[in-house]
């Protein structure tokens, strides 16, 4: 699995660049979507990808197995959001980490990456417990952002930023 990021805010451009870097593609293959909306390449069923963007930040994962990613810019929200959005276990972990928005977004991006990995999307899995068995998670972050990846294989140690675009 490979992770690619960009600050240009264009998910299609990042996907094309990542496909070229990882697998030598020169053009974006035709895309289709599952009934729940997860994009895939019908001509290349063994190649999996997932995209996420927040503001100008974009994240892309490429893999030979299903994968999910999420990236979020850190921004304050309503004080009740952590209690509303997190499961009881996630809320306890958030409190143990001292609360705050960086800790919230680390947990939230993990949940979204898992939901995207499953192909079910967020709504049906809003408060479901994330199964740990057989899954690997990576959490990444820098000033003003957090990101996560979920996959059946261990994630890379870092994100490859497009043309030095590290935020």
């Amino acid at each position: 699995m490979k992770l690619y990021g960009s600050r240009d805010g264009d998910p299609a451009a990042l996907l094309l660049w990542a496909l070229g870097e990882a697998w030598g593609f020169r053009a974006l293959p035709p895309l289709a979507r599952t009934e729940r909306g997860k994009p895939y390449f019908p001509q290349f069923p063994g190649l999996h990808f997932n995209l996420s963007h927040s503001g100008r930040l974009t994240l892309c994962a490429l893999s030979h197995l299903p994968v999910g990613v999420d990236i979020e810019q850190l921004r304050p929200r309503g004080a009740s959001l952590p209690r509303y959005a997190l499961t009881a276990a996630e809320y306890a972990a958030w409190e143990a980490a001292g609360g705050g928005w960086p800790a919230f977004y680390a947990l939230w991006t993990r949940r979204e990456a898992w939901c995207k990995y499953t192909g079910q999307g967020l709504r049906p899995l809003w408060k479901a417990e994330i199964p740990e068995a057989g899954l690997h998670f990576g959490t990444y972050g820098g000033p003003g952002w957090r990101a996560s990846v979920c996959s059946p294989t261990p994630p890379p140690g870092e994100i490859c930023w497009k043309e030095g675009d590290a935020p």
Side-chain angles (χ1 to χ4, degrees):
M1 175 195 344
K2 300 224 182 220
L3 281 179
Y4 298 93
S6 167
R7 285 186 303 158
D8 69 12
D10 185 347
L14 178 61
L15 178 58
L16 178 56
W17 179 75
L19 287 169
E21 291 289 306
W23 295 325
F25 282 69
R26 294 177 185 254
L28 200 58
L31 293 169
R33 291 188 179 270
T34 65
E35 65 183 42
R36 293 232 181 230
K38 187 172 184 176
Y40 68 98
F41 302 123
Q43 294 174 333
F44 301 98
L47 302 182
H48 297 265
F49 74 96
N50 200 235
L51 292 164
S52 179
H53 63 90
S54 179
R56 305 281 310 154
L57 295 174
T58 307
L59 184 63
C60 175
L62 301 178
S63 180
H64 291 288
L65 295 169
V67 63
V69 297
D70 188 46
I71 191 166
E72 297 286 341
Q73 290 182 319
L74 299 181
R75 56 191 166 107
R77 303 288 203 98
S80 63
L81 182 62
R83 172 78 67 195
Y84 172 74
L86 301 174
T87 66
E90 289 168 336
Y91 190 79
W94 175 74
E95 285 184 312
W101 294 114
F104 171 78
Y105 282 109
L107 290 163
W108 183 252
T109 58
R110 187 175 191 269
R111 171 160 297 282
E112 281 216 39
W114 172 66
C115 290
K116 293 171 77 176
Y117 160 80
T118 69
Q120 297 298 305
L122 186 58
R123 186 158 303 213
L125 300 174
W126 178 262
K127 290 281 192 159
E129 294 296 326
I130 299 172
E132 302 292 328
L135 294 177
H136 296 271
F137 293 89
T139 301
Y140 309 85
W145 65 278
R146 293 293 179 272
S148 293
V149 61
C150 175
S151 172
T153 60
E158 61 185 36
I159 297 168
C160 176
W161 291 95
K162 184 179 174 189
E163 300 161 13
D165 261 359

